[in-house]
């Protein structure tokens, strides 16, 4: 049995709905479908989710939000009418309109998925199941036991259902949103709950590229990678798949296929527990992020001075900023943070470290980019990281830091923002990748 999730671009208009139905009907095992809210299209420049956020902002500002909501209504009614459906979506829209003045952020923003799933269920002839009926969150996150028990109460393995992604309910029955991109998580959770054989994630790209195609023209596709490799690449900036959606599939060893709704005939990327690594590739993928700051602190034999480190952490903690902590030697430690997370606090943090922690030196570097090379081969072939470092050194790219702590499949290089694209290109161009083809069964 297959759980298939279709993203916002896949359900943006009536034409995209027809593509989804063709894909679903091509394989009888696609019994459980998860959808995002209608996204951007040639005629619609704004995602429905963002329109709902606009409605909320106007409401909170005491301004007239009905023109925006009327546009949302016309969009859903337009899809319904273009597909010749009979579902009375106006009733749901009227109820939402009445709720707007007092409803929560989570309820309002989740209505895009709710309405899209209603239309898709009618179009496919499947049963609509509101995620609020079974997907339960508590203080620790997803309550798997309660969610599975609720789901089993009203569906069986052979049922054909459509579920809205991106939300569930909390312990009190109130709507609970996931992070943006949360429909990926919804699909993975549903696949976990029903012990699916495969979780398909349909989007507008044919799998995951080895490097950002905006930097590398015609970047080669990754045919197959592991859950761990995908997790690291997602964390470091690849936006094709939501990082938190990996664990539910990994837990049950459910393969993930990342495929293109607009070109279902094309190969995608398959994510599994152990990928075929017979190809002569130094790295599986390259990803990164710009605009970090790095604070380097130095104290003689700092690794033995727990009292100093305790004071350092106390100073950082009081500013409420999330830092990554990287040992850089016996005398020094580096702290990394996104520039946006420390805006307005950075100089105060540096000043407090200098005045309160009895350090020998505090150094601040701005405009740093982090570039990660990811491969499950690193643990078996540790010399790969050195080879990449040599490549960058020969290209006269200044390396501000190298991080491999806590991972045997990822090496992160800190470079200047201005060297970001050059670094990715150099790593990409200097690694051999097999062009073998992985054939998906669509």
């Amino acid at each position: 049995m297959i759980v298939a999730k279709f993203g916002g671009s896949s359900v943006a208009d009536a034409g995209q709905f027809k593509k989804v139905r063709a894909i679903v009907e091509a394989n009888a095992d696609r019994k459980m479908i998860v959808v995002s809210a209608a996204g951007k299209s040639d005629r619609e420049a704004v995602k429905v989710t963002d329109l709902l956020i606009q409605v909320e902002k106007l409401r909170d500002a005491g301004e007239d939000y009905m023109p925006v909501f009327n546009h949302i209504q016309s969009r859903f009614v337009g899809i319904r009418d273009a597909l010749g459906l009979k579902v009375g979506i106006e009733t749901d829209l009227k109820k939402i309109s009445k709720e707007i003045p007092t409803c929560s952020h989570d309820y309002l923003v989740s209505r895009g998925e709710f309405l899209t799933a209603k239309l898709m269920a009618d179009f496919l002839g499947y049963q609509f199941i509101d995620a609020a009926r079974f997907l339960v969150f508590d203080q620790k996150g997803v309550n798997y036991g309660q969610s599975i028990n609720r789901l089993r109460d009203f569906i069986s393995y052979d049922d054909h259902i459509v579920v809205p992604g991106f939300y569930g309910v909390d312990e009190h029955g109130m709507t609970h949103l996931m992070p943006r991109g949360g429909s990926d998580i919804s699909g993975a959770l549903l696949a976990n709950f029903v012990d699916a054989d495969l979780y398909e994630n349909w989007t507008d790209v044919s799998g995951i590229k080895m490097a950002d195609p905006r930097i590398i023209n015609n970047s080669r596709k990754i045919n197959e990678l592991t859950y761990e490799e995908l997790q690291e690449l997602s964390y470091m900036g690849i936006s094709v798949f939501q990082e938190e959606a990996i664990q539910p599939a990994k837990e049950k060893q459910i393969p993930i296929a990342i495929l293109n709704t607009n070109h279902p005939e094309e190969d995608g990327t398959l994510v599994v527990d152990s990928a075929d690594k017979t190809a002569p590739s130094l790295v599986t993928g390259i990803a990164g992020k710009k605009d970090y700051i790095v604070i380097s602190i130095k104290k003689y034999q700092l690794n033995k001075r727990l009292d100093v480190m305790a004071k350092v952490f106390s100073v950082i903690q009081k500013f409420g900023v999330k830092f990554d902590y990287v040992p850089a030697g016996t005398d020094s430690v580096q702290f990394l943070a996104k520039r946006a997370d420390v805006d307005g606090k950075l100089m105060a943090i540096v000043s407090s470290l200098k005045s309160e922690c009895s350090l020998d030196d505090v150094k601040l570097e701005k405009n740093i980019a982090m570039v990660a090379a990811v491969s499950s081969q690193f643990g078996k072939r540790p010399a790969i990281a050195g080879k990449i470092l040599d490549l960058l050194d020969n290209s006269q790219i200044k390396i501000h830091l190298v991080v491999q702590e806590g991972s045997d499949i990822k090496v992160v290089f800190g470079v200047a923002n201005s060297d970001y694209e050059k670094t990715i290109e150099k790593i990409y161009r200097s690694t051999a990748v097999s062009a073998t083809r992985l054939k998906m069964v669509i």
Side-chain angles (χ1 to χ4, degrees):
M1 193 264 289
I2 297 172
V3 172
K5 175 261 175 180
F6 292 88
S9 62
S10 301
V11 293
D13 56 31
Q16 294 299 98
F17 267 59
K18 293 176 181 178
K19 293 178 183 178
V20 170
R21 187 165 71 177
I23 290 168
V24 172
E25 292 178 347
N27 190 328
D29 289 333
R30 294 189 177 105
K31 299 176 181 178
M32 298 190 180
I33 310 302
V34 176
V35 297
S36 298
K40 295 180 183 179
S41 68
D42 292 339
R43 296 181 60 183
E44 296 287 346
V46 183
K47 300 175 183 179
V48 165
T49 299
D50 291 325
L51 290 173
L52 288 165
I53 291 172
Q54 286 183 30
V55 168
E56 181 186 35
K57 288 180 178 178
L58 290 168
R59 177 200 69 182
D60 293 347
E63 299 179 22
D64 184 9
Y65 54 77
M66 282 309 298
V68 178
F69 187 73
N70 287 338
H71 179 71
I72 295 170
Q73 292 190 91
S74 65
R75 189 167 174 185
F76 281 108
V77 171
I79 293 173
R80 191 270 313 270
D81 293 346
L83 296 173
L85 305 178
K86 302 300 183 182
V87 58
I89 202 85
E90 290 90 348
T91 301
D92 294 303
L93 288 162
K94 185 176 181 180
K95 178 183 177 183
I96 295 167
S97 180
K98 288 183 177 179
E99 297 279 0
I100 291 174
T102 58
C103 71
S104 69
H105 165 84
D106 286 17
Y107 172 83
L108 180 57
V109 175
S110 70
R111 294 307 86 187
E113 278 74 14
F114 175 86
L115 294 166
T116 304
K118 276 250 177 152
L119 292 178
M120 184 61 72
D122 193 54
F123 187 53
L124 296 177
Y126 282 22
Q127 181 184 3
F128 169 78
I129 300 292
D130 192 351
R133 293 183 64 184
F134 68 89
L135 185 50
V136 182
F137 294 83
D138 57 28
Q139 294 180 350
K140 297 180 181 179
V142 178
N143 187 319
Y144 278 77
Q146 193 171 354
S147 297
I148 292 171
N149 288 337
R150 287 192 182 190
L151 187 62
R152 286 174 177 167
D153 283 344
F154 55 84
I155 73 163
S156 68
Y157 183 87
D158 290 325
D159 283 345
H160 293 68
I161 65 172
V162 175
V163 176
F166 191 35
Y167 71 94
V169 293
D170 64 19
E171 297 168 290
H172 307 290
M174 303 299 292
T175 304
H176 176 88
L177 278 187
M178 301 179 204
R180 287 297 290 264
S183 292
D184 289 357
I185 306 172
S186 298
L189 287 169
L190 184 59
N192 179 294
F193 296 163
V194 301
D195 294 311
D197 300 303
L198 176 66
Y199 171 40
E200 295 178 338
N201 193 280
W202 292 86
T203 180
D204 56 0
V205 294
S206 299
I208 297 174
K209 301 294 185 180
M210 182 181 172
D212 190 337
R214 293 169 298 184
I215 298 173
I216 306 296
N217 289 330
N218 300 314
S219 174
R220 286 163 288 197
K221 178 175 64 66
I222 304 171
N223 290 329
E224 192 172 283
L225 75 166
T226 67
Y227 299 115
E228 288 80 7
E229 288 173 326
L230 177 58
Q231 185 134 15
E232 296 290 2
L233 288 169
S234 297
Y235 176 76
M236 287 303 300
I238 284 184
S239 58
V240 175
F241 196 77
Q242 230 283 355
E243 179 191 354
E244 294 178 37
I246 299 167
Q247 185 59 32
K250 176 185 175 183
E251 185 180 276
K252 294 285 186 72
Q253 297 290 288
I254 301 168
I256 302 168
I258 299 172
L259 302 159
N260 190 339
T261 303
N262 299 316
H263 296 284
E265 75 285 355
E266 293 184 358
D267 290 340
T269 294
L270 188 65
V271 186
V272 291
D273 182 55
S274 179
D276 177 13
K277 294 298 181 181
T278 58
S281 173
L282 289 180
V283 300
T284 300
I286 309 156
K289 302 175 184 178
K290 286 185 176 182
D291 298 323
Y292 276 79
I293 63 96
V294 179
I295 299 175
S296 301
I297 64 171
K298 191 171 184 180
K299 177 77 173 180
Y300 178 64
Q301 293 192 328
L302 182 60
N303 63 326
K304 299 179 180 179
R305 296 295 304 272
L306 298 181
D307 58 325
V308 175
M309 286 305 301
K311 187 63 177 176
V312 168
F313 283 119
S314 176
V315 167
I316 288 176
Q317 185 178 22
K318 73 180 181 181
F319 287 95
V321 175
K322 179 183 177 182
F323 279 94
D324 288 325
Y325 162 68
V326 183
T330 58
D331 297 337
S332 59
V333 168
Q334 293 173 312
F335 293 91
L336 290 67
K338 295 177 183 177
R339 180 60 187 262
D341 291 342
V342 295
D343 273 350
K345 302 177 181 178
L346 181 56
M347 298 317 297
I349 294 171
V350 172
S351 178
S352 294
L353 288 171
K354 289 179 177 179
S355 63
E356 299 178 32
C357 299
S358 302
L359 298 168
D360 295 338
D361 187 40
V362 178
K363 181 182 178 183
L364 171 64
E365 294 180 279
K366 302 179 182 179
N367 303 317
I368 300 296
M370 299 297 167
V371 177
V374 174
S375 173
S376 59
Q377 297 293 298
F378 285 156
K380 303 171 186 176
R381 301 168 62 191
I384 294 175
K387 291 179 181 179
I388 296 173
L389 196 59
D390 286 341
L391 290 171
L392 299 179
D393 185 55
N394 292 337
S395 301
Q396 297 184 329
I397 295 172
K398 181 180 179 182
I399 307 298
H400 293 255
L401 73 159
V402 179
V403 183
Q404 198 172 5
E405 294 290 330
S407 173
D408 60 358
I409 68 168
K410 178 181 70 176
V411 181
V412 181
F413 303 93
V415 300
N417 276 348
S418 57
D419 285 331
Y420 175 72
E421 290 83 2
K422 182 180 178 182
T423 301
I424 289 177
E425 184 172 4
K426 185 62 181 177
I427 297 174
Y428 177 85
R429 300 296 180 198
S430 303
T431 54
V433 179
S434 171
T436 56
R437 181 175 174 84
L438 177 69
K439 186 63 182 175
M440 295 285 184
V441 179
I442 303 303

